[in-house]
Amino acid sequence: MSRSDAGRPAPTGADADRRTMVLESAMATFARFGYRKTSMEEVARAAHISRPGLYFLFSTKESLFRAAVTQALHRDITAVEQALADGDRPLPERLVEAFDHWAGRYVGPLTRDVATVIEANPGILGEVVEVLPRRFEELVTDAITVATGREEAVRIAQTMISASTGLKHQVGSRESYLERLTVAVGLLLR
């Protein structure tokens, strides 16, 4: 049997839907207020659940944050896979959409706050911060390989990821991120 927070049995059915909704509300709350300023009370209010009910699902803010980020990143990777698999659209368009799913939606205060939290507590998110970024890089590299060959695709993908990371910290809005990323993708695929 799989386990969730604090060794409790993993939820099924309606409980899983409730958990998903709570994690989505938590992620939105963390994005709005940042990790440090978000309280369990605020998450409970946003999720329309009692604070004791939230504590029943997640015993600590750290476990709630880890679960919320993990769920969001898994959802993002699925969206990236779908965007890149759509061979009817031009590669630059698919890449920009993939980067938007992976990084663009997180432009703003959460980007800086999460980086600080991770630096101060490297184990807070566990292996998800290593495994899923590697998967994202593999997906981008595979998509570019079709147009350029493998060796060049690896360098281009890594450069795109570096550009995306820099843009996330430089721009103030998702729109600005997408505008500048579109330019970077266009230049790198010439």
Side-chain angles (χ1 to χ4, degrees):
M1 175 184 283
S2 64
R3 298 276 175 182
S4 63
D5 179 52
R8 297 182 187 112
T12 58
D15 288 339
D17 292 341
R18 179 176 175 213
R19 179 182 166 89
T20 297
M21 186 273 307
V22 167
L23 291 175
E24 288 172 0
S25 296
M27 196 65 194
T29 306
F30 285 123
R32 182 173 179 207
F33 297 111
Y35 176 81
R36 290 176 296 207
K37 293 182 181 178
T38 295
S39 69
M40 293 291 272
E41 177 69 35
E42 289 163 335
V43 173
R45 201 172 315 122
H48 306 290
I49 186 173
S50 69
R51 196 174 74 198
L54 180 61
Y55 276 106
F56 177 76
L57 293 171
F58 302 97
S59 60
T60 65
K61 183 167 88 167
E62 291 81 12
S63 65
L64 173 62
F65 182 69
R66 182 176 27 261
V69 169
T70 299
Q71 175 179 282
L73 291 177
H74 281 287
R75 181 196 59 229
D76 294 346
I77 280 293
T78 299
V80 166
E81 290 170 342
Q82 292 170 350
L84 293 174
D86 184 3
D88 293 336
R89 294 176 29 223
L91 179 59
E93 186 179 308
R94 290 183 285 142
L95 286 167
V96 169
E97 181 181 342
F99 275 94
D100 185 35
H101 286 299
W102 183 249
R105 46 191 253 115
Y106 301 108
V107 170
L110 185 62
T111 298
R112 290 177 284 283
D113 195 46
V114 169
T116 302
V117 169
I118 291 170
E119 286 170 14
N121 308 283
I124 196 168
L125 292 177
E127 71 178 19
V128 73
V129 295
E130 295 174 13
V131 172
L132 293 177
R134 272 197 310 269
R135 176 69 180 139
F136 177 72
E137 183 177 338
E138 290 169 6
L139 290 167
V140 170
T141 300
D142 291 347
I144 296 170
T145 295
V146 174
T148 66
R150 187 71 180 176
E151 189 174 320
E152 190 174 350
V154 169
R155 289 192 306 268
I156 292 171
Q158 290 171 343
T159 303
M160 281 183 188
I161 290 168
S162 295
S164 171
T165 301
L167 288 172
K168 271 186 5 186
H169 294 282
Q170 290 177 1
V171 299
S173 72
R174 186 177 187 176
E175 294 76 24
S176 294
Y177 169 83
L178 290 172
E179 286 174 16
R180 291 181 60 188
L181 184 70
T182 300
V183 171
V185 167
L187 290 170
L188 289 166
L189 290 179
R190 281 188 179 169

